Amino acid sequence: MRVPSYRLHKASGQALVTIRGKDHYLGKHDSEESRQKYDELIAKYKRQSPRKKIRKREDGPSYRLHSRSNQAVVTLNGKDYYLGPYGSKESKAKYHRLKSEFIASGKSRTFGVKANDITIIELVADYATHCEKYYGTGPESEVHRSRPVLRVLKTLYATLPAIAFGPLQYEAVRVSLMEPYTIKRKADKQNKKDEKAVEVITRQRFRRYINALMKRVRAMFKWASSKSILPVSVLETLKTVEPLKIGRTEAPELGPILPVSDELVDATLPHLNHVVKATVQFQRLVGCRPGEVCRIKPSMVIDRSAEVWEIKLEKHKTAYKGKSRTIYCGPKAQAILKPFMLRGEDEYCFSPADAMKRISQLGRRYRWWPLAFRD
């Protein structure tokens, strides 16, 4: 604990000590009387000095005093809201109401801004922040799925007031999505001598994909309406536009997605490592998704003595809806899974670390150069 120092106040020639932000004048500097008062104050300070207090973290903006007007004030998004006389019941009620509304809006950047003053670029930025918090930033998150259409929306209508976005602007965004677009990727090194060569590919979005992207535009305006950022009438006008229909649009149709043939799978299996090979064989038998196979742990198998095993997945595609997912394993699937269950109860069965360990072992087995001479 740091002890407050004995100092000289030059203007008055007195001794001074500051304790908890308060100055104590002790008398003539370097006199016995001042030294005695200093020792008494320090002794009292040490007796009463509590342990360091941990400040309570406030949930949201603080209730403060505006000293000039003697009013209570709270700052939200850089804007001061005067609540009335400081300490009054009315000011505290108004403070709690504003704070609750601000938190309910997700601490939106557009909170308190008039609907006529909110532009599309501000709305897109606010919605992107909401998506990151609500859906996360994983590879399959709604954040990444919404980016193509939000990018087009910003390009066409960045400075347009969001309240002026209507059916015509909505269809203009859709027309832009229907146009061919180009992507760049590294050229094949076998065909190109220059390693920095770039290959330009022209693509076009399919009808169902365009409809899915436009649905995400409506989702953004629906969110804005639910947070009182925009009036509901903006969303209702967008709903009047029908989605693209088969045979009535220039957008191409995506053909049926067929399963991979058994001949191709059988030809591929010998070239896979033992972990990936087991996951493919297991998935063919039980009919689950690839992501579900990768999440299986020994602790998820309920009864290993039963003829058919039940695997209760903790995370799956419809978990957010409160639904459960059970994988049923027959004798053939059990035979594939058993060797991978010889590990901790909370470890993943089909682990990439096992594949890398096997590759390392095979590399050592067929090594022709002594390990001791390796650089």
Side-chain angles (χ1 to χ4, degrees), residues 274 296-299 301 304 309 334-351 354 357-358:
H274 74 293
I296 294 176
K297 301 176 182 178
S299 59
V301 182
R304 302 179 191 178
W309 288 359
Q334 294 172 20
I336 296 172
L337 185 60
K338 278 180 181 178
F340 296 94
M341 295 184 66
L342 303 176
R343 60 189 72 235
E345 288 294 308
D346 292 325
E347 296 180 11
Y348 293 107
C349 292
F350 300 103
S351 171
D354 292 346
K357 186 177 180 181
R358 177 71 65 86

Side-chain angles (χ1 to χ4, degrees), residues 174-227:
R174 189 168 65 182
V175 169
S176 182
L177 291 172
M178 291 169 60
E179 296 175 353
Y181 65 99
T182 58
I183 60 171
K184 296 180 181 180
R185 68 180 184 184
K186 291 184 179 179
D188 189 0
K189 292 183 180 180
Q190 295 178 356
N191 301 330
K192 302 288 183 179
K193 294 181 180 180
D194 187 5
E195 293 184 356
K196 295 183 179 180
V198 176
E199 184 180 2
V200 179
I201 302 173
T202 302
R203 291 183 177 176
Q204 194 170 3
R205 297 178 180 90
F206 294 100
R207 179 188 63 86
R208 289 180 61 185
Y209 181 49
I210 293 172
N211 284 339
L213 290 176
M214 297 310 297
K215 188 176 180 181
R216 291 182 171 91
V217 174
R218 296 198 303 272
M220 181 181 72
F221 281 91
K222 181 180 179 181
W223 170 82
S225 300
S226 69
K227 300 298 180 183

Side-chain angles (χ1 to χ4, degrees), residues 248-318:
R248 298 184 180 181
T249 176
E250 296 178 359
E253 288 292 332
L254 178 65
I257 301 175
L258 302 175
V260 180
S261 63
D262 290 337
E263 293 78 10
L264 184 57
V265 175
D266 293 334
T268 306
L269 286 175
H271 303 282
L272 303 177
N273 62 64
H274 74 293
V275 176
V276 179
K277 181 179 179 180
T279 58
V280 173
Q281 292 173 332
F282 184 83
Q283 186 181 352
R284 291 176 76 184
L285 292 170
V286 302
C288 62
R289 300 182 180 91
E292 295 174 343
V293 179
C294 297
R295 292 191 179 98
I296 294 176
K297 301 176 182 178
S299 59
M300 296 180 184
V301 182
I302 297 176
D303 187 4
R304 302 179 191 178
S305 61
E307 183 178 354
V308 178
W309 288 359
E310 293 184 8
I311 302 175
K312 296 286 187 180
L313 293 178
E314 298 172 353
K315 295 182 180 179
H316 53 89
K317 187 175 181 179
T318 56

